[in-house]
Amino acid sequence: MRTHRTAGAVLAAALLTGTAMAPAAFAAPPAAASAVAQAAVPFTAATAARAADGGYALSWASPAGSVTVTAVTSPDATTGTALGTAAGTGSLTVAPGTLPEAGRWYFRLVPDSGSPLVVADRSLGLESARNFRDIGGYRTTDGHWVRPGLVYRSNKLSGLTDADQQRLVSQNLTLDVDLRNAMERHDDPDRLPAGVTYQVADVVSLAHGIRFHDSALMTLAEAIAAGLFSGSSNLGQSIGYPFMVNFVGADYAFHDLVTAVTTNTSGATVFHCSAGKDRTGWGTAVLLTLLGVPRETVEADFLASNEYTGNPKAVELDWLRAAFAEVDHIYGDFDTYVREGLRLDAATVETLRARMLTA
């Protein structure tokens, strides 16, 4: 027992450094009927990507005969700059200079039958927060889409420039959820626009004690073995991801994150850690899985940190998969993790889905 407590204390101390903690990824969402019970948007694929020259490349797939594209500056806008009409499965290029500078351009895809879909480049192009990006724009397994412009993930926000802050204001950001530990928050406090509510959801907080759901020593040994077997470039991260599921303190943080996103109806939410890839990566995986986004898409979003940070080794897929495996090991499935680990009830999950998914 003494050995177990000592190991737990050492691990908790490591977690406090922020180097061995990262958010995990969840399994399929509950099978209960969604609050969004109407017909799904008739698009099976859609993307918008901004080029370095300021132009945009749009593409989509749908059973429609044709799709009309309009550029808008808000995801809720219905009128804007008409860009053209193309086939139901097609593409459109927006040449540089076609659209004036704006906080962010969204593209409203209107099929000749069925509901429209709004897409956007995920990055806001913030100079001081390269990994700041939208978690919207993904299709779910049941044919809905995660709405853009509601929830963002990011790296630390301590260096936001005045221009970056103004861009966040233009996107109606009203809530910032900080997943970092006390030392990180002290050394690099967030620099936010006036009017943005700040909330802490410390993933490695010891406020709830040094407690684990399963043997800390066993989790440590298995994580090291798995990391060595997979050829992990960072054993600390290989260890940290399963502990994001095993450490009780992390449950409270991710519970608070999901609840904050669900209840912030006054505007957009951003959540972040330091690099925006580990704790934030697991938090994103939890949210997207709750919304019904398929695992392969969740994994692709996780790996995108390598592109946004400019570091091809920023994250490794085996780290995220280790967290999912820990969910299955401790709880048997993702639904049970959500219910018993994160203590999120069905009403909260349904409210989250109703808020964030298209009809």
Side-chain angles (χ1 to χ4, degrees):
M1 180 62 113
R2 180 180 181 129
T3 302
H4 177 81
R5 288 177 179 170
T6 301
V10 170
L11 284 168
L15 296 179
L16 278 174
T17 69
T19 60
M21 265 312 215
F26 308 136
S34 169
V36 198
Q38 300 153 330
V41 171
F43 289 90
T44 56
T47 60
R50 182 173 183 175
D53 61 9
Y56 290 87
L58 313 177
S59 64
W60 59 85
S62 81
S66 64
V67 171
T68 299
V69 183
T70 302
V72 293
T73 55
S74 164
D76 300 321
T78 56
T79 59
T81 302
L83 296 176
T85 299
T89 294
S91 62
L92 188 149
T93 299
V94 183
T98 302
L99 299 172
E101 282 299 315
R104 187 185 189 193
W105 282 105
Y106 297 83
F107 300 93
R108 183 176 171 84
L109 310 179
V110 183
D112 57 5
S113 62
S115 301
L117 176 68
V118 176
V119 296
D121 186 285
R122 285 197 174 81
S123 174
L124 264 65
L126 300 187
E127 177 184 334
S128 54
R130 294 180 61 183
N131 210 6
F132 192 111
R133 50 192 164 107
D134 203 325
I135 74 167
Y138 292 123
R139 190 171 188 264
T140 67
T141 55
D142 60 358
H144 298 292
W145 287 78
V146 182
R147 297 180 188 277
L150 285 179
V151 181
Y152 299 93
R153 53 176 295 174
S154 182
N155 54 302
K156 63 184 180 180
L157 303 176
S158 56
L160 290 179
T161 64
D162 291 344
D164 289 341
Q165 290 195 48
Q166 188 55 46
R167 181 156 292 184
L168 297 185
V169 170
S170 75
Q171 298 309 301
N172 195 29
L173 184 74
T174 58
L175 177 64
D176 168 28
V177 182
D178 193 339
L179 305 178
R180 299 177 300 164
N181 66 45
M183 183 177 295
E184 292 168 308
R185 299 194 305 271
H186 176 271
D187 291 347
D188 294 298
D190 284 0
R191 185 171 186 263
L192 300 169
V196 176
T197 300
Y198 177 74
Q199 177 180 334
V200 173
D202 186 344
V203 173
V204 300
S205 171
L206 301 185
H208 303 285
I210 304 173
R211 296 187 292 135
F212 302 88
H213 295 290
D214 199 14
S215 166
L217 283 177
M218 184 61 69
T219 300
L220 175 62
E222 291 175 348
I224 292 174
L228 291 172
F229 180 78
S230 68
S232 172
S233 65
N234 188 325
L235 276 181
Q237 297 293 53
S238 296
I239 294 168
Y241 276 72
F243 272 103
M244 291 291 281
V245 178
N246 194 10
F247 180 55
V248 171
D251 293 341
Y252 285 89
F254 292 115
H255 166 95
D256 290 349
L257 170 61
V258 175
T259 302
V261 168
T262 303
T263 58
N264 181 30
T265 58
S266 64
T269 300
V270 61
F271 62 97
H272 73 94
C273 52
S274 288
K277 63 186 184 67
D278 300 312
R279 287 162 288 184
T280 299
W282 178 240
T284 305
V286 169
L287 284 165
L288 292 179
T289 304
L290 283 171
L291 293 171
V293 175
R295 180 70 63 84
E296 59 267 27
T297 304
V298 172
E299 292 183 344
D301 179 85
F302 176 76
L303 288 174
S305 282
N306 292 342
E307 173 188 350
Y308 284 97
T309 63
N311 176 7
K313 295 183 178 180
V315 294
E316 296 177 11
L317 191 53
D318 284 336
W319 301 347
L320 183 64
R321 289 177 174 174
F324 275 118
E326 190 72 0
V327 166
D328 292 340
H329 170 70
I330 295 176
Y331 296 98
D333 56 47
F334 183 78
D335 290 355
T336 306
Y337 166 65
V338 170
R339 186 173 59 253
E340 298 181 2
L342 301 185
R343 305 177 331 282
L344 294 168
D345 58 30
T348 299
V349 175
E350 288 303 304
T351 301
L352 175 74
R353 288 173 62 81
R355 169 167 162 70
M356 292 198 63
L357 297 179
T358 59

